[in-house]
Amino acid sequence: MVIADKEFIINNQPFHGRDMLTLVDYTKDEITYLLDLADYLKDQKKQGIVFEPLKGKTLGMIFEKSSTRTRVSFEAGIYQLGGTGIFLSSKDIQIGRGETVADTAQVLSGYLDGIMIRTFSQETVKELAKHASIPVINGLTDTYHPCQVLADLQTVREIKGSLSGVKMAYIGDGNNMVHSLMLGAALMGMEFVVAAPKGYHPDVEITYKAKQLAEEHGAKISVTEDPQEAVKGANVIYTDVWASMGQEDEQEKREIAFEGYQVNEELLSLASSDVIFMHCLPAHRGEEVTANVIDGTHSVVFQQAENRLHAQKALMTALMGK
Ligand code: CP
Ligand code: NVA
């Protein structure tokens, strides 16, 4: 789909009012549209062109976990689109004192034009979306992180020129990032391999779903325990922390389990010569990645972090525009 002009973006709205709970709520063409729109908005911003399709609109942002990128990119993003963001820490709103998600959803629907939520259970996000009459965006759960992957796909596409056929090797924990990356890769026709130790593989049902999608879209999904094998021919190496938010108590146990799964120069040297290194951040240098890799010439982590802004502006424009 070509982004013809501003009118096209504002008026041609097959997205209006929809939620983003997982990437597979959308088709390949729709994800491509969002990525095209993200590139367009990035370009407009770089040229200093003001574009405010969400003037007068308000996004509520519920956080039950910490955040730097998600909070700031959504808040800056809605502001740049002409709207306003309200940060709602679960410590301060009544949800933290037991008000139901269903009641919260209905109350907030009366005030806002969209809700972004970062929480623990995917069920909470589903419950919120079920009772809200406005779009709900998943800003990370224990199971998924779709907004991060939208930005990641934008980043890979802008560097590699396309997504189909690109090989991404993910090394480390089979967590929320892997689940969303796996679905995104399957949908977009990529080759995606996860190397994770026993006991830390991605969810079996999500892997099955990704493999089914992969068959439909000419993609390839696989899981191995061998990082050296996984990175062979890889154009992208991706990793994430070994202990995610909520797993802080398992830090020591995980450091032992993930020994041998560090992304370092030796592992990088086994990949394709055009390999880029990606990490959703925050990173723990010396654990899942060495400082010389994340701060080295193959790393695109800050471009990736910046694209959170552009990808989410595209998402908000599509879902919350008129
Ligand atoms: N990558 C990411 O979602 O970062 P934050 O936890 O800082 O939002
Ligand atoms: N897997 C990490 C991602 C942080 C953006 C976590 O859930 O903490």
Side-chain angles (χ1 to χ4, degrees), residues 140 145 175-176 240-241 244-245 280-281:
L140 179 145
H145 198 1
N175 60 16
N176 45 7
D240 185 15
V241 289
S244 285
M245 288 182 277
C280 57
L281 305 179

Side-chain angles (χ1 to χ4, degrees), residues 255-276:
E255 278 177 30
I256 296 165
F258 287 100
E259 218 181 313
Y261 288 82
Q262 183 186 65
V263 178
N264 50 35
E265 281 189 324
E266 199 184 328
L267 195 68
L268 217 68
S269 72
L270 303 177
S272 168
S273 56
D274 75 344
V275 71
I276 54 170

Side-chain angles (χ1 to χ4, degrees), residues 30-104:
E30 288 171 337
I31 298 286
T32 303
Y33 171 84
L34 290 173
L35 299 179
D36 290 348
L37 183 51
D39 286 349
Y40 175 84
L41 294 175
K42 182 172 183 175
D43 185 57
Q44 296 278 299
K45 181 162 189 301
K46 303 274 172 201
Q47 288 186 56
I49 299 169
V50 176
F51 176 51
E52 298 186 326
L54 300 186
K55 223 181 178 97
K57 306 252 177 174
T58 309
L59 177 78
M61 306 183 299
I62 302 174
F63 281 92
E64 295 204 80
K65 292 176 174 176
S66 307
S67 171
T68 298
R69 280 143 289 269
T70 306
R71 176 183 175 177
V72 180
S73 56
F74 266 106
E75 197 163 336
I78 184 85
Y79 178 74
Q80 289 167 20
L81 294 168
T84 303
I86 304 180
F87 174 68
L88 303 165
S89 160
S90 59
K91 292 192 195 85
D92 302 326
I93 59 173
Q94 297 287 8
I95 220 170
R97 293 181 57 246
E99 183 166 22
T100 67
V101 172
D103 286 358
T104 305

